């Protein structure tokens, strides 16, 4: 009976979402305050209904209710509890339910925190959000129902895909969806503004916190997914330019451009048309990622579905929202003014440069991701576009942006002085130059481009704090006065510095591990020893173990340095018995920011040996520490009172005066 309750709750959510779409829209268009006032309660009701459906499906997984087809196909009674819960979104149907739950959550949050919005705008935003909810809730009910029953119920389930049975995959999808779906609010604000005809600095201030929230979560989701693939798949890489990786990276690039564009619009009421277009583009790319993962056009460890019927429905939804949004944009864009003017050398000019490079980089990734699919659809020929293409196109685009980043905060609004900014940065440029030259000097045979990359990384890390250094008054001001000035700065200034520095830290990790990593692939028998990066690694042997729903062969490697034992690394090969699928569990030793990485290959037939892959990865963890700093920067900015408060509502006396004037 409880399963039927979840199904009913989802049907009720669809009906309520239809009402959420229609009633606030009509109220906003006719000026009916009562209908507009219904919007928040409708958003809450839709969220509660979908939350009930999600809770019921989670209960079915936790209790191993094998009368539910979705549970049979993706769970097992012996699976650990955390993976029973994460199994809810480890499949197409459940992950779509999570997708819609987060969509409804953001609609409810707009209702909860949108008191400072004009009633008509809030009603219109909630209405657009309701329309998106209608589309995807209907998609779930009619093509991907997670509550389908099976009779008679089997005694045991088929288990979850083994590579998804990991803590990283328990965390990665919810974070990624919070980013993906979070951009729906920016999209809804853009559509509401186009319908209302109100696009100004106040709109930019309202939309920026929602965009920043989605960006922080998407950054976390991409970083977590990268680290999961790095340690779980046993391949030793941190990014493969996989099409589904790209599908999450494209909205991140567009969202980053939107954050900077909205800042220009808020301060100068410039780039109005461009900012609206970016808000549409960021969510459109999120929808594209949803289509790629669930349409069956891609084969990937990230892909959830291979049913072309579902792909056609998602494609129809994608065309409706993207095509409709662009059509509305085309109708309204001619009526939008360009806003304030500014000199090319200014803070605004720097942010425009940022937008040009980021959108061009997005287009580059878009072409590299979809071109093979287009060729296959038109000719039937399968081709692949991999790292060489992206290294040759994406990386050169980003270099000028990385060089320009520290200049931005030092330029004045409207008209800046590039020479004054250079004077403030020369010390940090000297530090970066010394770091690059030192790298080139001490690393024999290092490519010049690698030393240049190290210099750019240091330039970003130190240059990002140049604005704080200047505002503190150091070294002329005393320490006490400087700290007092720094404490008084808006949190968004600190957020900008941390986010830009995090980008530099990630660049340092990428360049260092790419240039200095060492790899060995060899056969080892118990007692064999090898040397790597100053470490002596001895294979002690392997033992068999049994887990709750798998068996594994665990190899033991003793790691020593200069004759002293350092640690023991235990990589493993697992076999999940229900599905009969093997996985590779890497063994990793972290020292400082570097890692010694060991992965097992196949046993050698006829010999007591096993293939072993060893990597020394210097400073590799900086690749993920950088996004952590970027997220901290985003959270600092979100905590800035100017973003939390938004545009203040006028006082009661002011409202009365405005009403009398009208």
């Amino acid at each position: 009976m409880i399963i039927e309750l979840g199904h009913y709750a989802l049907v009720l959510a669809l009906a309520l979402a239809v009402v959420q779409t229609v009633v606030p829209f009509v109220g906003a268009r006719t000026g009916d305050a009562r209908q507009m006032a219904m919007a928040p309660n409708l958003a809450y009701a839709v969220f509660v209904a979908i939350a009930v459906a999600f809770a019921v499906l989670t209960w079915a997984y936790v209790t191993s209710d094998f009368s539910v087809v979705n549970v049979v196909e993706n769970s097992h009674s012996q699976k650990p509890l955390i993976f029973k819960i994460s199994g809810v979104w480890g499949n197409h149907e459940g992950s779509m339910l999570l997708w819609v739950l987060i969509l409804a959550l953001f609609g409810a949050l707009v209702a909860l925190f949108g008191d400072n919005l004009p009633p008509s705008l809030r009603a219109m935003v909630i209405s657009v959000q309701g329309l998106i909810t209608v589309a995807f809730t209907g998609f779930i009910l009619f093509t991907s129902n997670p509550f389908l029953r099976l009779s008679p119920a089997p005694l045991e389930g088929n288990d979850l895909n083994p590579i998804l049975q990991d803590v990283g995959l328990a965390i990665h999808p919810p974070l990624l969806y919070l980013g993906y779906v979070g951009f729906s609010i920016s999209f809804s604000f853009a559509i509401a503004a186009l319908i209302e005809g109100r696009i100004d600095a106040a709109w930019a201030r309202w939309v920026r916190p929602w965009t920043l929230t989605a960006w922080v979560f998407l950054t976390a989701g991409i970083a977590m997914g990268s680290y999961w693939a790095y340690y779980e798949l046993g391949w030793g890489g941190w990014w493969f330019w996989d099409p589904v990786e790209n599908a999450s990276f494209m909205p991140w690039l567009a969202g980053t451009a939107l954050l900077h564009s909205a800042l220009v619009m808020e301060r100068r009421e410039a780039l109005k048309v461009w900012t609206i277009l970016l808000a549409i583009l960021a969510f459109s790319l999120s929808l594209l990622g949803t289509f790629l993962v669930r349409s069956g056009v891609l084969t990937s460890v990230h892909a959830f579905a291979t049913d072309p019927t579902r792909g056609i429905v998602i494609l129809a939804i994608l065309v409706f929202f993207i095509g409709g949004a662009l059509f509305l944009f085309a109708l309204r864009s001619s009526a939008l003014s360009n806003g304030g003017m500014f000199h090319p050398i200014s803070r605004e000019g720097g942010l425009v440069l940022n937008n040009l490079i980021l959108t061009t980089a997005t287009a580059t990734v878009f072409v590299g991701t979809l071109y093979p699919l287009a060729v296959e659809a038109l000719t039937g020929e399968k081709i692949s576009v991999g790292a060489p293409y992206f290294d040759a196109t994406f990386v050169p685009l980003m270099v000028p942006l990385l060089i320009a980043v520290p200049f931005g905060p030092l330029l004045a609004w409207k008209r800046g002085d590039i020479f004054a900014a250079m004077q403030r940065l020369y010390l940090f440029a000297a530090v970066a130059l010394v770091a690059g030259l030192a790298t080139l000097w001490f690393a024999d045979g290092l490519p010049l481009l690698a030393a240049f990359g190290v210099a750019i990384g240091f330039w970003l890390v130190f240059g990002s704090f140049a604005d704080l250094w200047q505002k503190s008054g150091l070294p002329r001001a005393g320490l006490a006065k400087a700290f007092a000035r720094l404490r008084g700065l808006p949190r968004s200034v600190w957020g900008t510095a941390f986010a830009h520095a995090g980008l530099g830290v990630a660049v340092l990790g990428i360049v260092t591990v790419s240039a200095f990593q060492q790899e060995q692939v060899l056969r080892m028998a118990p007692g064999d020893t090898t040397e790597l990066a100053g470490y002596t690694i001895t294979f002690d042997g392997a033992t068999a173990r049994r887990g709750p729903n798998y068996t594994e062969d665990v190899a033991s490697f003793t790691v020593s340095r200069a004759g002293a034992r350092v640690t023991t690394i235990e990589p493993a090969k697992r076999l999940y018995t229900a599905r009969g699928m093997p996985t590779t569990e890497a063994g990793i030793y972290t020292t400082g920011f570097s890692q010694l990485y060991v992965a097992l290959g196949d046993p050698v037939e006829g010999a007591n040996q096993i293939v072993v892959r060893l990597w020394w990865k210097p400073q590799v963890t900086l690749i993920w520490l950088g996004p952590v700093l970027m997220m901290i920067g985003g959270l600092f900015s979100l905590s800035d009172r100017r973003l939390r408060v938004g545009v203040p509502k006028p006082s009661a006396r002011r409202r009365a005066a405005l009403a009398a004037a009208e």
Side-chain angles (χ1 to χ4, degrees):
M1 183 63 186
I2 191 172
I3 302 302
E4 281 66 35
L5 175 63
H7 192 183
Y8 172 75
L10 200 56
V11 174
L12 178 62
L14 176 60
L16 289 170
V18 171
V19 180
Q20 177 187 340
T21 303
V22 175
V23 173
F25 178 83
V26 173
R29 299 304 292 165
T30 61
D32 190 325
R34 290 177 300 175
Q35 288 182 312
M36 288 189 287
M38 291 177 64
N41 289 332
L42 287 168
Y44 299 147
V46 170
F47 170 68
V48 170
I50 296 176
V52 169
F54 188 82
V56 168
L57 185 61
T58 303
W59 175 257
Y61 269 84
V62 170
T63 59
S64 296
D65 185 348
F66 296 125
S67 69
V68 180
V69 174
N70 188 260
V71 179
V72 172
E73 292 177 347
N74 299 284
S75 192
H76 192 279
S77 61
Q78 300 302 313
K79 193 169 62 173
L81 178 61
I82 185 174
F83 301 137
K84 288 183 178 180
I85 296 173
S86 64
V88 176
W89 55 81
N91 59 89
H92 168 72
E93 292 83 2
S95 66
M96 282 306 305
L97 188 58
L98 176 63
W99 205 99
V100 175
L101 175 67
I102 294 173
L103 185 68
L105 171 64
F106 274 100
L109 290 175
V110 170
L112 182 63
F113 296 110
D115 289 341
N116 61 328
L117 298 173
S120 61
L121 179 62
R122 180 169 70 162
M124 194 65 74
V125 170
I126 292 174
S127 174
V128 176
Q129 200 73 6
L131 182 60
I132 302 171
T133 306
V134 168
F136 282 98
T137 306
F139 169 76
I140 292 174
L141 283 170
F142 294 111
T143 72
S144 310
N145 189 348
F147 298 107
L148 293 178
R149 288 283 202 171
L150 183 63
S151 181
L155 296 177
E156 192 54 86
N158 299 334
D159 207 357
L160 180 65
N161 187 335
I163 65 171
L164 302 182
Q165 295 188 42
D166 182 80
V167 174
L169 257 292
I171 301 170
H172 163 59
L175 291 176
L176 197 65
Y177 288 1
L178 283 165
Y180 262 168
V181 183
F183 284 127
S184 66
I185 294 296
S186 305
F187 176 85
S188 296
F189 265 97
I191 300 303
L194 288 172
I195 295 173
E196 291 274 295
R198 175 176 179 172
I199 303 173
D200 52 19
W203 179 89
R205 178 171 288 191
W206 288 322
V207 80
R208 212 153 61 86
W210 299 102
T211 305
L212 184 56
T213 300
W215 181 87
V216 168
F217 280 117
L218 188 56
T219 302
I222 292 173
M224 184 72 250
S226 168
Y227 191 62
W228 164 79
Y230 166 77
Y231 73 77
E232 176 65 20
L233 301 183
W235 66 308
W238 58 274
W239 193 262
F240 192 61
W241 292 107
D242 180 280
V244 183
E245 289 178 331
N246 296 346
S248 62
F249 191 43
M250 287 187 287
W252 186 88
L253 291 169
T256 305
L258 174 59
L259 279 176
H260 293 84
S261 177
L263 182 60
V264 176
M265 183 174 170
E266 179 186 342
R267 294 297 186 95
R268 301 288 303 150
E269 289 210 29
L271 304 182
K272 292 181 180 180
V273 176
W274 179 245
T275 304
I276 291 290
L277 182 59
L278 280 177
I280 295 172
L281 177 64
F283 184 58
S284 297
L285 290 171
S286 295
L287 291 178
L288 176 65
T290 302
F291 168 72
L292 290 176
V293 173
R294 301 170 194 283
S295 62
V297 300
L298 294 178
T299 301
S300 166
V301 296
H302 304 82
F304 279 113
T306 58
D307 184 354
T309 303
R310 292 170 174 173
I312 291 172
V313 176
I314 294 180
L315 182 61
I317 294 173
L318 185 148
V319 169
F320 173 77
F321 282 104
I322 298 177
L326 293 177
F327 178 72
L328 180 61
F329 174 79
L331 288 179
R332 295 287 194 178
S333 60
S334 59
L336 301 177
S337 62
N338 290 324
M341 304 297 291
F342 51 86
H343 194 270
I345 305 299
S346 62
R347 180 80 65 87
E348 298 94 327
L351 293 172
V352 168
L353 175 65
N354 161 290
N355 270 228
L356 289 174
I357 295 176
L358 285 175
T359 50
T360 305
T362 304
T364 298
V365 179
F366 181 87
V367 171
T369 303
L370 295 189
Y371 177 72
L373 303 180
V375 170
E376 183 178 356
L378 294 174
T379 67
E381 180 185 358
K382 289 184 177 291
I383 66 170
S384 61
V385 174
Y389 163 81
F390 294 103
D391 291 343
T393 57
F394 181 83
V395 174
L397 276 173
M398 296 306 294
V399 169
L401 178 62
L402 299 179
I403 294 174
V405 162
F407 285 93
L410 297 175
L411 295 173
W413 293 100
K414 195 172 182 179
R415 180 182 290 270
D417 187 342
I418 189 69
F419 296 105
M422 292 173 65
Q423 289 177 341
R424 299 185 187 108
L425 286 168
Y426 77 89
L427 179 61
F428 305 101
V431 171
L433 180 62
V434 169
L437 292 175
T439 303
L440 196 62
W441 178 266
F442 289 107
D444 294 334
L446 182 71
L448 183 62
L449 287 177
F452 178 65
V454 170
I456 287 182
F458 275 94
W459 162 252
L460 277 168
V461 172
F462 288 101
S464 298
F465 293 99
D467 187 40
L468 294 176
W469 181 272
Q470 178 195 357
K471 287 181 169 62
S472 71
L474 290 170
R476 291 186 298 273
L479 283 178
K481 188 175 182 179
F483 282 125
R485 289 177 177 177
L486 291 174
R487 283 196 302 269
L489 290 176
R491 293 182 185 178
S492 60
V493 175
W494 285 94
T496 299
F498 276 111
H500 290 174
L503 180 61
V505 169
V507 168
L508 281 174
I510 292 168
V511 172
T512 305
V513 76
S514 299
F516 294 106
Q517 74 173 355
Q518 300 177 39
E519 179 183 1
Q520 284 187 17
V521 181
L522 68 162
R523 299 176 177 183
M524 297 186 75
D528 286 352
T529 296
T530 187
E531 302 285 334
L532 182 67
Y535 290 96
T536 301
I537 303 157
T538 303
F539 178 29
D540 300 321
T543 57
R545 295 179 187 172
R546 178 173 291 277
N549 59 334
Y550 61 83
T551 59
E552 63 178 348
D553 293 319
V554 182
S556 177
F557 293 84
T558 298
V559 179
S560 57
R561 191 180 186 97
R565 181 184 175 280
V566 175
T567 189
T568 298
I569 299 178
E570 294 187 334
K573 296 284 285 188
R574 286 183 182 174
L575 178 66
Y576 285 78
T577 52
R579 291 205 176 203
M581 289 180 61
T583 64
T584 299
E585 304 296 321
I588 299 175
Y589 167 63
T590 302
T591 172
F593 298 119
S594 304
Q595 290 184 334
L596 185 63
Y597 186 110
V598 183
L600 300 180
D602 295 325
V604 179
E605 290 188 19
N608 187 24
Q609 293 179 321
I610 190 169
V611 175
V612 179
R613 298 191 70 179
L614 304 165
W615 284 274
W616 168 247
K617 294 185 171 292
Q619 318 307 322
V620 67
T621 57
L622 294 181
I623 294 174
W624 302 289
L625 179 61
V628 170
L629 290 176
M630 295 164 73
M631 291 156 50
I632 291 173
L635 294 175
F636 260 104
S637 295
L638 273 175
S639 67
D640 192 310
R641 184 177 181 275
R642 294 174 300 175
L643 279 185
R644 287 185 286 110
V645 171
V647 179
K649 292 190 294 187
S651 64
R653 181 179 300 177
R654 175 65 174 164
R655 290 198 300 270
L658 289 173
E662 291 176 356

